[in-house]
Every structure is written in structure tokens, then in C-alpha cells.
């Protein structure tokens, strides 16, 4: 077979993107070790594109398949545990709080700083072709499911590679990554990870061995998942852990001491050697993790099929980090990784593109922190949205926050020199309207902005961004264009879904003729009816609640029957599903422990990312 020539493109630049994220040079990542000779794999990870045009090599990275979209984060909540001011503000934690993101992890990661994370564990959808990845019946989840499967295995690998590539950038040089997979794709992903992280940076193929019962079938029972463990460099952190010997036995050793200057074995009064039990640390943990699945009755169980056991994450997090190190999970699902990281006093970043997963994760952290017996101060955490924004919250922003948000979303930079020029994008001055959705740009606004760009920038081109423009404003712009040759573009903030082809086109064409922007969502409207069934027993019904988002339906309901300070779901009331249909249960019964006045919290999520919590006071008889 003719040996394939490996062409090495000249990629040595350190790039700075407008998201202010530094991309480390990646040249080395697809160097196959020389001892391999020719191997039947592509040189670059699937999806990573290198174009050579007229002797010029252009690196597009993964941007053909996954264009960059820089949008702002919207903090919708800061959950405070009372020690917020004790924690350092860093580039990754600008407010000193841990971060829980709602959105597609790729775009979120692209806006996080390089070399800021110690350990990444991910449990992405597996390419299993099975629907169990659609765990929440949530459209955001559904979208990822269809995206991944559209292009078959190569499509799945490109989808994962672009994310792994970012993860490598985010890891500190001492960091490591664990990618949880199973037989469906683990061997293909290993090849890609060899290319991205380097074959020599592979550390272990961990077999997670679990027990489960299934019917007899014509194969050996499938009882393990695979976790691929890579280091970022040889200088990676690793804490050795021990497990019990398979057959624990007590080993005795004779006690030694110095008598008359000599080291001798000591004897007791009877003349027998003195013995003691040898310290028995067990055996160093090996790469087969024998850990039970989350049991049906376990306290940690939330109720969806892909939940991983806390013990598994404990082993991984203890192995790769020390206290206060940063652990990240960008497919956090029900929040096992941040929960365990929190228990072990690590800082954390978590992300999921399902709003329900984010709510469940938040609920789990809140419950954990309010449980008694904490040994250390816990940082606050923020819930931040990316790309799907809560419109009512945006209206509550003050003018400065609103302008900053909109300008960042538009890909520009804020400016505060002139009261009428709020920002600039590609040299074009920007003007942003008021936060209220009823506000309108008037002809006076157009005039003052036109004057400002002319006088202060000696320019005749500007862009105005606002919820609405009144007719007179449009006429004023036409007149300016006809008489003064001033071009005034209007960009209307509008409710447009991020996954629309139209939006994609705007992004791909680098925002040219970019007229509409962003997805805004409304929280659902919660309507609670309740009836007393018998002594202390009540029925609660939220089936009349409605999603206020287009095509939205209620996707999950959580209950806190004894609300105090902050929402913490009552055990068994975080994720209720009808066993036959899989649909969310909207009518529940609950038996209170004693009569009295209770605050009952009800948190509802819809399948478009909308979420709302309501608290009612109930006199229980
Ligand atoms: C297998 S589950 C993770 C379960 C988790 N390890 C646990 O113990 O609960 C995979 C998760 O990835 C999320 N997901 C899928 N595509 C995503 C994406 N592009 N960005 C962020 N999250 C994504 C899904 O919503 C789902 O919750």
C-alpha cells in the first residue's frame, strides 16, 4: 500500500477571536507517533478543516460545520449560600460564583477562558440510536439528538470533536479529561481523541462494570460502559486511590526495635515475637470500576435512565483533583458531577441544553448544601442562559446593562464616550433603544444619532437596534439618506429561534445583513388548583398551566411542599413521569406530616426553555 504523505499545515499562530478567547496552537494534535508508520486514519480529527488555496493554507478549524456564535450570558439567578464574598473572582468565575449554564455547550465553551479547568468529565449522548437520550421530552434535548444522528457516525464524531477540541483548550496543562461512552462509539471516539489529545496522552480505558438484570439473549450480557481518560500533558495531576483486596486478609508483621544499638525483632515476656497487624491500604485502584448503578430506592435517584452513580464520579474527581480545583461537566444532565464536586469541596462549572436538566441540577445542589454537617464554606452559583433569554428579565435591566447585552449580542463593543453612540461594530457606530418592549425609536432619536455620528466620527453610516421603530423614524432615515447621503440601518430585536436556518445563514455570513437576532422566551403561566382529600392529604393540579412560548408545552413540574428560603424539591417530586406514556405528571397527591401553615413551591418548566416558580401559602388541616 502506498504510504500516505502526512502534510503538515503551518499552524503556529496564537489567535484572538472577538470572544476574547485565546486559542492555543494546535499543530501537534494530529501527530501520530513515528513508530506507527502509516495508519488507516485521517490525519486531522474529523470535521477539522484545512484548506489550501493558491499556496495559502487556511485553517477553518470546525467552523464550516459549527460556525462561531458569540452571544452574551444572561444571569437569571444567583443562588447564595452566604459565603459569596470569600471566593476569589477569576476569569472563569468573574463573580466568584460557580456557574450552571443553560445552552449548547459548544458555544458556551467557546466563550470561556483557556487553561482554566482541572478536570472535565462528560457523559455525552452515546450514538446508541436509542431514544433514551431524549431523557426529558424536552425540545432542546430533541434537537441535539437529531443533529447528532443526521450524519451517521461521521456526523456524530464531528459533533463531538468540535466540543472535545474546546475542552482541550479549557484544560490546564495539569488537567485531565474523562469521556464516558459505551460500545456503540467508544472505539471510534478513541481514534479521534488520539488525534485531538495525542495518542501518548491516553492514560486509561476505564471499564465501569455494573450489574443489571435482563432477559436471556444470544450474546454475553452487556454489563459495562467505557470511560476514556486522557491527560493534557505528562505533568497531569493524579491522586492514587486504593480499593480492598479481592480477598481481604489480615497480614501480620513482627515488631522491630533497637536494643544495644542493634535493630532486632522484639519479643514479649514469654519470649515470643511481638506481632502487629500490617497496615493494609488495599490494592491500588485498577481500571475496572466495580460500582453499582443508581438503585431504584437510592436517595440520590432522580428517575431518568442516564443518571450516573455518585460513587463513580467520586472516584474520578478524587483521582484527578484536590480541594478547590475546578471540575467541569458540559453535559451535566441531572447534575451528578457538580453535586459530587460540591460535596468534595471542588469549584465547578456545569452545562446542559435542557432547561429541565438545569433545574434538576440546581435543585440537587440546593438540597445538598442545605443538608446538615458541612465542613466548608460553599460558593454561590449562578444560572446563566446562552442564546435563549428570558424576555421579562431583559426588560428589568437598567439601561446600561441592556445596552451592553444587546451590543454584545450584536457582536459589537460598548462605548461610553458619547451619550448617543453606545457602541461600535466593524467601525460602524451603534445606537440601542430602551429596555422596555413597548419602547420605540422616534425621529428625534434618529436625528440626534445621525448628528453624533457625523460630528463625532465624521461618518455617514450608523446602526440603530431596538424593539420597535415608529413610522416617523423610518421616514426620517429615508430623508437623511436622500438629502444628506447618510445611511441609517435599523435592526429590530425580535423573537427568532436560534436553530432557524435563517439565523444560521446570518451567522455563517458573519452577520452581514443581520436583521433579526436572538431567541427570547417567556416563563410559563402557572395555575395551581388544590383540593383536600382527607386529613393532611391534598391533591395539587397544575394541568391548567400554559407555556407562553410558541409551540411550547409543559415538560416538567417540581414540588417543594415545605418551602423555606429557596426551592428544594420534596423527595420524589422532582421529575414525575407517567410510566406508560412517559409524559410529565401534572396532578399529584401529598400527605403533610402535621397540620399548620405551609409554603408550597411549584416549579414548572416548558419544552422551550421557559421556567417559573410560584409559592403559595396553604393552611393544612
Ligand atoms: C447522558 S445525559 C448526562 C447524564 C449525567 N451524567 C447524569 O449523571 O445525570 C446527556 C446530557 O447531555 C445533554 N446534552 C446533549 N447535547 C448537549 C449540548 N450540545 N450541550 C449541552 N448539553 C447537551 C442532554 O440534555 C443530557 O442531559
Amino acid at each position: 500500500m502506498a504510504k500516505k504523505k502526512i502534510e503538515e499545515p503551518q499552524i503556529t499562530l496564537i489567535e484572538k477571536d472577538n470572544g476574547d478567547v485565546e486559542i492555543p496552537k494546535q499543530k501537534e494534535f494530529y501527530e501520530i507517533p513515528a513508530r506507527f508508520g502509516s495508519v488507516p486514519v485521517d490525519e486531522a480529527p474529523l470535521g477539522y478543516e484545512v484548506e489550501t488555496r493558491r499556496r495559502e493554507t487556511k485553517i477553518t478549524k470546525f467552523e464550516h460545520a459549527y460556525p462561531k456564535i458569540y452571544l452574551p450570558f444572561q444571569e437569571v439567578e444567583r443562588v447564595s449560600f452566604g459565603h459569596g464574598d470569600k471566593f476569589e473572582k477569576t476569569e472563569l468565575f468573574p463573580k466568584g460564583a460557580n456557574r450552571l449554564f443553560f445552552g449548547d455547550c459548544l458555544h458556551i465553551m467557546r466563550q470561556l477562558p483557556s487553561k482554566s479547568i482541572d478536570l472535565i468529565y462528560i457523559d455525552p449522548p452515546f450514538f446508541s440510536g436509542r431514544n433514551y437520550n431524549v431523557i426529558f421530552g424536552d425540545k432542546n434535548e430533541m434537537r441535539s439528538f437529531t443533529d447528532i444522528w443526521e450524519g451517521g457516525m461521521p456526523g456524530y464524531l464531528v459533533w463531538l470533536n468540535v466540543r472535545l477540541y474546546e475542552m482541550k483548550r479549557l484544560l490546564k496543562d495539569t488537567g485531565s479529561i474523562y469521556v464516558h461512552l459505551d460500545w456503540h462509539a467508544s472505539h471510534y471516539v478513541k481514534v479521534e481523541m488520539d488525534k485531538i489529545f495525542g495518542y501518548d496522552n491516553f492514560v486509561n480505558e476505564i471499564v465501569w462494570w455494573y450489574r443489571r438484570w435482563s432477559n436471556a439473549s444470544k450474546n454475553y450480557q452487556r454489563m459495562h460502559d467505557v470511560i476514556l481518560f486522557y491527560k493534557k500533558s505528562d505533568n497531569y495531576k493524579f491522586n492514587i486511590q486504593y480499593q480492598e483486596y479481592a480477598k481481604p486478609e489480615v497480614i501480620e508483621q513482627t515488631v522491630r526495635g533497637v536494643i544495644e544499638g542493634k535493630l532486632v525483632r522484639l519479643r514479649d515476656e514469654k519470649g515470643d515475637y511481638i506481632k502487629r497487624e500490617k497496615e493494609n491500604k488495599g490494592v491500588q485502584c485498577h481500571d475496572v470500576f466495580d460500582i453499582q448503578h443508581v438503585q431504584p430506592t437510592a436517595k440520590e435517584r432522580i428517575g431518568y435512565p442516564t443518571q450516573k452513580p455518585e460513587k463513580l464520579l467520586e472516584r474520578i474527581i478524587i483521582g484527578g483533583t484536590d480541594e478547590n480545583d475546578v471540575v467541569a461537566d458540559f453535559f451535566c444532565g441531572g447534575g451528578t458531577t457538580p453535586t459530587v464536586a460540591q460535596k468534595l469541596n471542588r469549584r465547578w462549572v456545569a452545562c446542559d441544553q435542557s432547561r429541565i436538566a438545569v433545574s434538576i441540577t440546581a435543585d440537587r445542589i440546593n438540597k445538598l448544601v442545605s443538608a446538615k454537617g458541612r465542613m466548608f464554606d460553599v460558593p454561590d452559583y449562578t444560572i446563566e442562559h446562552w442564546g435563549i433569554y428570558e424576555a421579562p428579565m431583559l426588560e428589568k435591566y437598567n439601561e446600561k446593562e441592556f445596552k451592553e447585552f444587546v451590543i454584545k449580542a450584536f457582536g459589537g463593543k460598548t462605548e461610553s464616550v458619547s451619550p448617543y453612540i453606545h457602541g461600535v461594530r466593524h467601525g460602524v457606530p451603534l445606537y440601542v433603544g430602551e429596555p422596555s418592549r413597548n419602547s420605540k425609536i422616534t425621529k428625534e432619536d434618529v436625528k440626534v444619532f445621525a448628528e453624533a455620528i457625523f460630528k463625532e466620527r465624521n461618518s455617514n453610516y450608523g446602526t440603530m437596534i431596538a424593539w420597535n421603530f415608529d413610522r416617523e423614524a423610518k421616514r426620517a432615515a429615508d430623508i437623511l439618506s436622500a438629502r444628506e447621503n447618510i445611511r441609517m440601518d435599523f435592526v429590530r430585536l425580535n423573537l427568532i429561534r436560534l436553530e432557524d436556518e435563517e439565523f444560521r445563514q446570518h451567522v455563517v455570513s458573519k452577520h452581514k445583513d443581520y436583521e433579526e437576532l436572538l431567541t427570547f422566551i417567556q416563563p410559563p403561566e402557572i395555575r395551581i388548583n388544590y383540593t383536600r382529600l382527607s386529613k393532611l392529604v391534598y391533591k395539587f393540579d397544575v394541568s391548567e398551566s400554559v407555556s407562553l412560548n410558541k409551540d411550547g408545552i409543559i415538560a416538567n413540574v417540581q414540588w417543594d411542599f415545605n418551602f423555606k428560603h429557596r426551592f428544594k424539591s420534596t423527595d420524589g417530586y422532582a421529575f414525575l413521569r407517567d410510566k406508560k406514556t412517559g409524559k410529565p405528571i401534572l396532578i399529584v397527591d401529598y400527605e403533610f406530616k402535621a397540620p399548620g401553615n405551609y409554603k408550597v413551591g411549584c416549579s414548572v418548566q416548558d419544552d422551550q426553555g421557559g421556567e417559573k416558580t410560584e409559592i403559595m401559602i396553604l393552611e393544612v388541616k
Side-chain angles (χ1 to χ4, degrees):
M1 189 173 75
K3 214 169 169 188
K4 220 172 167 187
K5 189 167 172 281
I6 298 183
E7 271 181 24
E8 255 188 34
Q10 299 304 307
I11 319 165
T12 45
L13 50 151
I14 305 277
E15 283 186 12
K16 267 236 168 206
D17 290 279
N18 61 348
D20 294 322
V21 171
E22 202 166 86
I23 311 273
K25 70 174 186 184
Q26 295 285 341
K27 180 183 163 204
E28 66 275 26
F29 78 179
Y30 51 88
E31 272 179 5
I32 300 293
R35 64 182 179 278
F36 260 64
S38 172
V39 285
V41 290
D42 287 328
E43 294 85 7
L46 273 180
Y48 184 93
E49 292 189 32
V50 178
E51 288 172 7
T52 308
R53 275 197 220 132
R54 289 198 215 118
R55 277 198 251 140
E56 225 179 84
T57 303
K58 193 176 166 227
I59 309 301
T60 60
K61 308 216 176 71
F62 293 93
E63 280 149 44
H64 270 312
Y66 290 97
K68 283 189 179 164
I69 311 175
Y70 288 110
L71 292 176
F73 294 123
Q74 184 188 38
E75 182 183 313
V76 297
E77 199 179 343
R78 179 177 179 125
V79 179
S80 175
F81 298 120
H83 307 287
D85 50 347
K86 290 197 183 146
F87 293 89
E88 206 193 334
K89 293 183 176 141
T90 61
E91 214 187 329
L92 179 64
F93 300 119
K95 297 190 175 169
N98 291 336
R99 300 175 84 178
L100 174 55
F101 293 107
F102 167 44
D104 184 331
C105 62
L106 169 62
H107 303 295
I108 289 168
M109 287 192 287
R110 279 175 168 168
Q111 288 180 232
L112 300 181
S114 302
K115 300 193 183 191
S116 55
I117 293 173
D118 295 281
L119 180 137
I120 299 176
Y121 163 86
I122 54 162
D123 173 18
F126 278 2
F127 193 77
S128 67
R130 288 221 303 268
N131 274 8
Y132 78 179
N133 282 304
V134 189
I135 50 178
F136 299 121
D138 181 345
K139 281 209 185 111
N140 298 308
E141 168 75 357
M142 192 77 85
R143 188 176 66 214
S144 87
F145 180 81
T146 48
D147 282 352
I148 300 167
W149 273 261
E150 261 163 26
M153 182 60 82
Y156 173 73
L157 293 174
V158 174
W159 176 89
L160 192 58
N161 278 355
V162 56
R163 288 164 176 84
L164 290 171
Y165 177 79
E166 287 305 316
M167 289 178 205
K168 181 185 173 194
R169 182 181 64 77
L170 295 180
L171 278 180
K172 293 182 189 167
D173 290 340
T174 47
S176 47
I177 180 165
Y178 291 73
V179 179
H180 193 135
L181 299 153
D182 74 0
W183 61 271
H184 290 94
S186 64
H187 43 312
Y188 295 108
V189 175
K190 165 90 174 46
V191 173
E192 297 303 310
M193 289 189 78
D194 283 348
K195 293 190 273 182
I196 295 173
F197 288 88
Y199 177 85
D200 290 328
N201 285 326
F202 166 81
V203 185
N204 279 121
E205 179 180 71
I206 296 167
V207 168
W208 170 36
W209 173 37
Y210 45 78
R211 318 287 151 80
R212 66 188 180 103
W213 306 115
S214 55
N215 297 332
S217 50
K218 210 173 168 186
N219 56 0
Y220 298 105
Q221 290 273 302
R222 295 199 176 112
M223 290 219 190
H224 78 275
D225 284 359
V226 171
I227 303 171
L228 299 174
F229 165 22
Y230 281 73
K231 57 185 156 73
K232 172 97 177 251
S233 74
D234 288 344
N235 193 19
Y236 71 113
K237 198 176 264 190
F238 187 72
N239 298 319
I240 295 179
Q241 296 171 82
Y242 295 88
Q243 63 189 71
E244 276 188 9
Y245 288 105
K247 276 195 211 155
E249 53 189 45
V250 179
I251 301 171
E252 288 189 331
Q253 62 180 172
T254 45
V255 178
R256 288 165 189 263
V258 179
I259 297 179
E260 293 172 358
K262 281 188 190 160
L263 183 68
V264 292
R265 293 199 279 177
L266 302 180
R267 293 174 187 272
D268 61 15
E269 294 128 19
K270 288 189 213 153
D272 295 330
Y273 285 122
I274 303 174
K275 297 207 167 155
R276 70 167 170 218
E277 221 175 274
K278 192 176 172 188
E279 195 197 344
N280 181 357
K281 282 206 260 182
V283 62
Q284 182 177 343
C285 280
H286 46 69
D287 59 5
V288 178
F289 290 8
D290 174 8
I291 292 173
Q292 291 285 341
H293 246 306
V294 183
Q295 295 301 299
T297 52
K299 207 167 182 300
E300 68 182 88
R301 188 180 172 84
I302 300 164
Y304 58 85
T306 54
Q307 184 184 354
K308 300 298 176 293
E310 292 190 7
K311 273 211 163 7
L312 181 73
L313 267 303
E314 263 168 37
R315 172 96 39 104
I316 291 172
I317 292 175
I318 293 174
T321 59
D322 296 321
E323 286 202 359
N324 299 315
D325 283 352
V326 182
V327 174
D329 184 344
F330 295 103
F331 298 87
C332 75
T336 313
T337 309
T339 305
V340 176
Q342 188 64 82
K343 267 191 191 165
L344 296 171
N345 200 16
R346 271 65 170 172
R347 303 297 307 267
W348 54 264
V349 173
C351 166
D352 203 286
Q353 71 170 28
S354 154
R355 188 63 182 84
I356 303 171
V358 169
S359 297
I360 289 177
T361 301
D363 185 36
R364 227 167 138 183
I365 297 286
N366 296 351
K367 277 184 172 170
L368 170 76
V369 176
S370 41
K372 289 193 184 83
R374 253 184 301 123
M375 310 285 291
F376 37 77
D377 296 340
V378 176
D380 298 350
Y381 71 90
T382 48
I383 300 180
E384 296 173 54
H385 285 206
W386 184 92
I388 298 184
Y389 301 111
E390 288 192 0
M393 178 155 288
L394 209 57
E395 284 189 283
K396 283 190 204 136
Y397 280 1
N398 63 35
E399 278 201 21
K400 184 169 176 282
E401 289 167 334
F402 181 75
K403 288 184 170 55
E404 277 175 8
F405 182 91
V406 169
I407 288 169
K408 178 131 200 240
F410 195 59
K413 288 212 163 68
T414 13
E415 290 204 356
S416 53
V417 189
S418 151
Y420 304 114
I421 298 177
H422 304 143
V424 61
R425 194 182 119 228
H426 302 321
V428 178
L430 304 174
Y431 180 99
V432 181
E434 304 285 312
S436 162
R437 278 178 70 186
N438 298 325
S439 65
K440 280 185 181 157
I441 293 286
T442 61
K443 67 176 182 197
E444 275 70 37
D445 298 326
V446 177
K447 270 191 211 155
V448 288
F449 182 50
E451 262 173 39
I453 55 175
F454 189 68
K455 279 194 193 146
E456 294 173 31
R457 301 291 150 98
N458 198 18
S459 163
N460 59 353
Y461 180 21
T463 301
M464 302 185 88
I465 313 169
W467 290 111
N468 305 293
F469 295 84
D470 75 16
R471 263 203 222 134
E472 291 298 303
K474 286 194 179 125
R475 263 173 52 91
D478 290 343
I479 292 169
L480 280 171
S481 162
R483 294 197 195 146
E484 321 271 343
N485 197 22
I486 290 182
R487 175 174 164 192
M488 197 61 76
D489 287 350
F490 289 165
V491 175
R492 201 163 63 84
L493 289 169
N494 200 0
L495 309 187
I496 175 172
R497 293 205 61 82
L498 214 57
E499 59 267 39
D500 279 359
E501 184 53 26
E502 191 189 354
F503 186 82
R504 187 186 160 90
Q505 288 312 325
H506 287 314
V507 174
V508 175
S509 60
K510 298 273 181 218
H511 298 246
K512 263 186 229 138
D513 305 317
Y514 195 171
E515 282 176 353
E516 294 178 316
L517 177 82
L518 314 181
T519 299
F520 295 110
I521 42 138
Q522 301 285 346
E525 192 176 303
I526 306 184
R527 293 182 200 145
I528 311 176
N529 293 312
Y530 66 91
T531 33
R532 183 172 180 269
L533 297 179
S534 59
K535 191 179 164 195
L536 300 179
V537 182
Y538 284 74
K539 180 194 283 295
F540 296 90
D541 179 350
V542 280
S543 55
E544 284 177 20
S545 301
V546 279
S547 164
L548 300 182
N549 297 308
K550 191 166 171 273
D551 300 330
I553 52 165
I554 302 299
N556 194 44
V557 183
Q558 301 171 323
W559 293 96
D560 179 352
F561 292 109
N562 196 6
F563 179 92
K564 291 201 170 108
H565 315 302
R566 75 173 62 90
F567 189 93
K568 293 185 292 304
S569 72
T570 303
D571 287 346
Y573 288 86
F575 185 72
L576 286 158
R577 288 289 176 276
D578 183 289
K579 284 206 175 75
K580 276 193 199 142
T581 62
K583 289 193 175 156
I585 295 179
L586 306 179
I587 304 174
V588 295
D589 293 352
Y590 183 72
E591 180 172 358
F592 291 86
K593 293 207 172 65
N597 281 333
Y598 287 82
K599 280 188 184 165
V600 173
C602 174
S603 178
V604 173
Q605 297 103 38
D606 71 19
D607 64 346
Q608 303 289 329
E611 201 218 30
K612 191 174 183 186
T613 301
E614 275 207 352
I615 314 293
M616 59 180 248
I617 295 180
L618 179 71
E619 191 193 347
V620 173
K621 293 179 185 159

